[in-house]
Amino acid sequence: MIDSGQRVLLFSSIGHALMHMMTAFYAVIVLTLAVSWNLPAEDLLRLYAPATILLGVVSLPAGWASDRFGAPAMMVVMFLGLGLSSIACGLVPTGDTLALSLALCGIGAFGAFYHSVGIGWVIRTAKEQGHAMGVNGLWGSAGLALYGIVPGVLITLASWRAAFIVPGIVCLVVGAVLWVQIRQGKVGDRAMPQAKGTQVGRRDFWRVFSVLSVTMALEGVIWQAVMFGAAMVFEVKLAPEISALRDGLASWGVATQIVLWVGLATSMIYVVSGVAQYAMGRRIIDRYPLKATYIVASALQVVAMLALAMGNGYVALLGAIGSAVLSSAAGPIENILIARYTPSRYHGLGFGAKFVVAFGAGPLAILLIAWVRETTGSLELLFLGLAVISVVITLVALLLPGNERDASLPAPQAAPAE
């Protein structure tokens, strides 16, 4: 029989997948929208900048609401708000950039709920935190994989409007099911178990959060730059390969659009990173010191950024995959550290503050992508700069506390849902 903790992991994981897909799929939809509305893709991409600001800023009040009203109820709010906002995007009049920007703001605002609410919810109720974060991360990466596939398929079969509306309907259905489960007492929450060797104190909390505030902000720029810039990079660097694939299928009478293949390439990034994160949860994060793992992942980002900047075709694709895998290793470590050093009653605010910092980098990444592409015609200079940023992240991460025995974390005992 499925216990409450497993149900929490299931709904949180579904939410992770939908949130990541729906806060990223505009990067693919915009390529078709630019043709349909006869506007430059970079100009339409800028419409998403306010939404990315909300994706960070709203994390803090969402975290407060989670502490006040409970994580399960706030997850329902996220599903319903995200679904309605996405449907609104699909119903905007042709060429109405203001209406589209406002609807996208809804996606950003309600998407901000997930990490403030869902991550702490999983960690508090999990018996094996690293494993649970690996499973949850696998679903998140699946959502990122789908952000390329779902709009590509729906645009090919129907239109860009369907690419917004269909995921929105799915969100509404999941939110309704979760609400019923809560009402039946099958889904709840509990306090955070104490880890051996970790003292929750004001000094340790501020040390961890001060260091992570710097690393998470810079890592956020890298993450968002890869998420929103990869499609534009692949459109250019994989052009010969995509052309060959399209010509091959055309000879068999199958016509495909470039956006479908670009979407599949971006999806591959997160399929691989999701599998890697699942494997790392139990094999690495639950076994090795968090600090050392975090530093190694940060250092290897330098190589990934150089591959994206200087590589051609498949080398750039491998660089993007490598970057996503390394970010998938760093994210759960940050989450576990914050959960360990933050009192349970303030988990919502703690995670809200984290994602204000992490997602606050989103607008900067989008504006940098648009500016560098307009100025140079490509994104090589951007990723060279991010290689330097990766060096800075590695150096700052050395200041994290490393005296606790991460591998000694006991499995929390089962507790009834609150």
Side-chain angles (χ1 to χ4, degrees):
M1 183 173 177
I2 300 177
D3 62 26
S4 178
Q6 291 173 318
R7 291 176 191 272
V8 167
L9 181 58
L10 176 62
F11 280 106
S12 181
S13 296
I14 293 172
H16 201 187
L18 287 171
M19 173 269 173
H20 273 302
M21 183 188 78
M22 297 172 71
T23 55
F25 62 3
Y26 184 65
V28 174
I29 297 172
V30 74
L31 299 176
T32 297
L33 200 60
V35 176
S36 178
W37 287 12
N38 194 28
L39 292 171
E42 54 268 27
D43 287 350
L44 287 171
L45 185 61
R46 283 195 186 95
L47 297 179
Y48 196 62
T52 61
I53 294 174
L54 292 173
L55 191 58
V57 172
V58 176
S59 295
L60 197 58
W64 173 86
S66 177
D67 291 333
R68 177 68 178 81
F69 302 107
M74 290 304 101
M75 286 294 292
V76 172
V77 172
M78 184 208 76
F79 283 122
L80 299 182
L82 201 55
L84 291 173
S85 298
S86 187
I87 291 171
C89 287
L91 297 177
V92 298
T94 299
D96 193 338
T97 56
L98 177 60
L100 178 59
S101 183
L102 291 173
L104 289 170
C105 282
I107 290 179
F110 288 103
F113 275 64
Y114 178 74
H115 288 95
S116 301
V117 180
I119 297 296
W121 194 31
V122 169
I123 294 175
R124 287 192 299 274
T125 56
K127 294 180 180 179
E128 296 177 286
Q129 293 176 343
H131 173 66
M133 291 305 295
V135 172
N136 185 261
L138 178 62
W139 282 73
S141 294
L144 286 167
L146 292 174
Y147 100 78
I149 295 174
V150 169
V153 170
L154 290 175
I155 289 169
T156 299
L157 296 178
S159 68
W160 63 266
R161 295 185 184 277
F164 281 117
I165 293 172
V166 173
I169 293 172
V170 172
C171 250
L172 295 180
V173 171
V174 176
V177 173
L178 175 56
W179 176 248
V180 171
Q181 293 276 294
I182 294 170
R183 297 283 292 178
Q184 293 175 346
K186 295 180 179 179
V187 174
D189 202 351
R190 68 171 179 178
M192 176 72 182
Q194 179 67 47
K196 290 182 180 179
T198 300
Q199 299 298 320
V200 178
R202 184 175 298 178
R203 180 179 178 183
D204 288 330
F205 167 76
W206 284 113
R207 179 181 175 184
V208 169
F209 195 78
S210 296
V211 172
L212 290 181
S213 291
V214 177
T215 61
M216 291 185 304
L218 298 178
E219 173 65 30
V221 175
I222 293 174
W223 174 262
Q224 299 280 356
V226 173
M227 182 186 299
F228 288 101
M232 293 182 179
V233 171
F234 296 156
E235 190 177 26
V236 175
K237 294 195 173 186
L238 289 173
E241 290 82 359
I242 291 175
S243 179
L245 287 169
R246 293 181 70 209
D247 290 344
L249 287 174
S251 66
W252 289 87
V254 179
T256 58
Q257 298 184 36
I258 293 176
V259 68
L260 175 63
W261 296 102
V262 172
L264 289 173
T266 57
S267 296
M268 189 182 301
I269 300 172
Y270 300 105
V271 169
V272 176
S273 69
V275 173
Q277 184 171 347
Y278 175 75
M280 287 186 292
R282 204 173 252 170
R283 296 178 180 274
I284 297 178
I285 296 175
D286 276 338
R287 294 186 181 184
Y288 297 100
L290 299 180
K291 177 180 178 179
T293 307
Y294 192 63
I295 290 170
V296 170
S298 301
L300 290 175
Q301 278 282 13
V302 178
V303 179
M305 292 299 101
L306 291 175
L308 262 168
M310 304 173 69
N312 291 321
Y314 294 122
V315 175
L317 177 59
L318 288 174
I321 291 173
S323 177
V325 169
L326 295 167
S327 293
S328 295
I333 293 172
E334 294 164 352
N335 294 333
I336 292 173
L337 284 172
I338 289 175
R340 289 185 183 181
Y341 286 94
T342 305
S344 289
R345 65 184 181 277
Y346 297 127
H347 265 188
L349 284 174
F351 282 103
K354 172 194 169 173
F355 289 101
V356 166
V357 172
F359 287 125
L364 176 59
I366 288 177
L367 294 175
L368 282 173
I369 290 170
W371 178 73
V372 172
R373 193 168 188 251
E374 279 182 345
T375 304
T376 67
S378 68
L379 295 179
E380 280 86 352
L381 185 62
L382 172 65
F383 289 109
L384 284 174
L386 293 178
V388 177
I389 293 297
S390 298
V391 174
V392 175
I393 294 172
T394 304
L395 296 176
V396 175
L398 293 171
L399 300 175
L400 283 169
N403 57 341
E404 83 271 15
R405 296 182 61 191
D406 302 308
S408 66
L409 180 66
Q413 299 300 310
E418 295 180 353

